[in-house]
Amino acid sequence: MGQQEKVSTSLAGAVSEGISASLAAVDAELDRRYPGDPGTRQPVHTVYVPGNVFDAGTIRSWGDQALAALDEHAPDAASFAAVLGLSDDLAEDIYGRVRAKLEREPVEDLRVDFEDGYGGRDEDQDAARAARLISEAYAHGTAAPYMGIRMKCMESAVRDRGIRTTDVFLTGLLENGGLPDGLVLTLPKVTYPEQVSAFVRLLEAFEKAHGLDAGRLGFEIQIETSQSILATDGTAAVARMIGAAEGRATGLHYGTFDYSACLGVSAAYQASDHPAADHAKAVMQVAAAGTGVRVSDGSTNVLPVGSTEHVHEAWRLHYGLTRRALARAYYQGWDMHPGHIPTRYAAVFAFYREGFEAAAKRLSAYANHAGGDVMDEPATAKALSSYLLRGIDCGALDTAEVDALTGMTRADLDRFAAPRRGDLTVTADR
């Protein structure tokens, strides 16, 4: 070692202590409002099924219909790759993974719908039946990783019905074995933060009535109105909604068609890549960043049905929109039809397979201080590990191949993906 430099200071320790004391409230507020991503699995899509249609065979039926669509319109890897423009080196792998996913886990997140999609005549009975069927699915190992309901909104015309359906469904779950870990509730058409607060009061009352832990019930907020993006006072209402949820909000879901119609976009141009949609989702994304609340894209209403030519056109559209969303960090979307699932998984798997090797090598180089042609920072290491974990969770990547290329276990990746606040310098143990 060379000669040690003389180190001098000019300020008393009391200065630092005083500054820390003055920022104590801010420190606490940062921890409360921005806890970071929860580190749990995020589904790549949400499927909506009307409450009067949902039955015990719905999930398997969606998988079988998706496989049948492949058999009819893209019976092999080459034909599927030709439709979507997949590269030759990925075609077989992607096609095989898509088919395997449709056999094993065709739906990652399912919402039994009692709002726009509901057409039943006895909502009490349908809500109670949904609770029983979901409980049985979890008990028998046939459930999607995440399941729940979308009730009617908190607007006056349907508020009582939405509250009652929520009560019937949650009570039914408790009567049939308890609340499953994958339970998700979706509150639609929110326009004011006070509606979020009202839903929080409803969940608090239910928890208290049944002796549940406070905060056990969380929910997603659907962003389907202009008022949810920009309030009358010019503030971003969606940010206030996250605060109004008091830590219960788990997601913000963009409603493509209701939001577009709210802004007067004509039906032919209502799509998730419309400039109005991009603006809304960008506001949602910034409002949710760091809060632990995740953002989901909307859907396309162009269904892959009919002639092979039309199915291929719809597949290309859906694949392109999904890839576009992934590049913009919207890792979840809605699928409206079983025929959308093959291209959902194809897009997701291609996204992770294409970038896997580069991401793994960059993360390995960072963790081992090996350098390389990209100078990565701690925050980028966090993004790289999150990318690999998402790929593993959905089935695009295998744990063994990630381990082999990075030299890291799942636990190592988890530590990089979710460091403590102010500590982004974690390294792998190996």
Side-chain angles (χ1 to χ4, degrees):
M1 291 182 60
Q3 181 180 352
Q4 298 244 339
E5 295 289 341
K6 178 184 177 183
V7 177
S8 302
T9 62
S10 302
L11 301 176
V15 174
S16 178
E17 292 171 3
I19 290 173
S20 293
S22 72
L23 291 174
V26 170
D27 293 339
E29 184 79 346
L30 281 170
D31 287 338
R32 184 178 72 83
R33 290 189 178 273
Y34 300 100
D37 189 86
T40 55
R41 176 181 179 179
Q42 181 180 11
V44 302
H45 70 169
T46 302
V47 163
Y48 281 80
V49 178
N52 55 305
V53 173
F54 174 70
D55 61 31
T58 292
I59 293 175
R60 187 62 263 155
S61 174
W62 274 60
D64 291 343
Q65 290 179 68
L67 285 165
L70 281 179
D71 290 340
E72 181 176 358
H73 303 293
D76 52 45
S79 57
F80 196 50
V83 173
L84 303 181
L86 296 172
S87 61
D88 292 342
D89 61 325
L90 284 178
E92 290 286 348
D93 184 43
I94 296 296
Y95 191 74
R97 287 178 184 272
V98 168
R99 293 195 70 98
K101 180 76 169 180
L102 296 176
E103 292 281 4
R104 182 185 73 256
E105 189 181 73
V107 175
E108 292 197 359
D109 184 28
L110 186 144
R111 209 69 71 248
V112 183
D113 191 13
F114 291 96
E115 203 233 353
D116 284 347
Y118 181 65
R121 297 183 177 180
D122 192 336
E123 192 163 330
D124 278 357
Q125 284 294 306
D126 288 336
R129 183 169 59 89
R132 176 178 57 81
L133 292 174
I134 288 175
S135 295
E136 291 174 355
Y138 277 106
H140 299 151
T142 58
Y146 299 94
M147 298 184 75
I149 65 166
R150 176 171 70 170
M151 69 293 295
K152 291 178 174 62
C153 69
M154 288 286 106
E155 292 181 355
S156 59
V158 294
R159 183 184 303 138
D160 288 345
R161 181 65 261 181
I163 291 172
R164 182 174 176 84
T165 295
T166 303
D167 187 5
V168 169
F169 175 70
L170 292 176
T171 301
L173 289 178
L174 290 178
E175 292 175 345
N176 285 277
L179 304 178
D181 290 338
L183 173 65
V184 187
L185 305 174
T186 303
L187 179 65
K189 292 184 174 61
V190 180
T191 52
Y192 280 78
E194 288 80 2
Q195 293 168 333
V196 174
S197 297
F199 197 66
V200 169
R201 301 289 85 78
L202 170 63
L203 298 183
E204 285 178 338
F206 188 88
E207 290 166 349
K208 184 176 181 180
H210 291 278
L212 300 174
D213 291 340
R216 169 63 180 86
L217 295 166
F219 60 97
E220 302 166 335
I221 302 169
Q222 267 193 281
I223 305 302
E224 304 177 85
T225 66
S226 60
Q227 296 96 329
S228 61
I229 295 297
L230 190 68
T232 54
D233 62 359
T235 60
V238 64
R240 293 168 55 204
M241 289 174 186
I242 293 173
E246 299 177 23
R248 294 178 185 263
T250 59
L252 301 174
H253 283 229
Y254 177 68
T256 305
F257 305 103
D258 282 293
Y259 186 86
S260 298
C262 187
L263 267 63
V265 178
S266 60
Y269 297 96
Q270 292 178 0
S272 61
D273 58 351
H274 189 279
D278 284 340
H279 171 259
K281 286 179 287 189
V283 174
M284 291 163 58
Q285 189 174 45
V286 174
T291 65
V293 178
R294 289 157 166 175
V295 175
S296 174
D297 198 1
S299 61
T300 174
N301 60 359
V302 179
L303 304 184
V305 297
S307 68
T308 294
E309 180 181 9
H310 178 75
V311 169
H312 286 181
E313 289 177 358
W315 274 352
R316 279 190 288 268
L317 173 65
H318 185 246
Y319 178 87
L321 290 173
T322 304
R323 287 300 304 261
R324 183 181 189 271
L326 290 167
R328 286 158 174 76
Y330 308 133
Y331 298 113
Q332 185 176 355
W334 298 5
D335 287 328
M336 306 286 285
H337 187 274
H340 284 141
I341 304 181
T343 39
R344 169 70 60 182
Y345 290 132
V348 171
F349 292 170
F351 175 75
Y352 291 109
R353 297 302 306 178
E354 289 171 1
F356 162 53
E357 186 172 338
K361 289 182 177 179
R362 282 177 66 181
L363 183 59
S364 178
Y366 176 86
N368 294 297
H369 309 287
D373 58 359
V374 179
M375 184 179 293
D376 285 321
E377 296 185 354
T380 304
K382 177 180 177 179
L384 290 167
S385 55
S386 296
Y387 172 88
L388 295 174
L389 287 168
R390 290 178 184 278
I392 292 171
D393 285 342
C394 71
L397 306 176
D398 302 321
T399 302
E401 64 179 343
V402 175
D403 192 335
L405 204 55
T406 62
M408 298 182 193
T409 65
R410 171 78 190 231
D412 293 328
L413 294 175
D414 285 335
R415 282 198 296 276
F416 271 101
R420 298 184 302 273
R421 176 178 299 280
D423 180 12
L424 289 172
T425 59
V426 292
T427 58
D429 292 337
R430 303 197 290 179

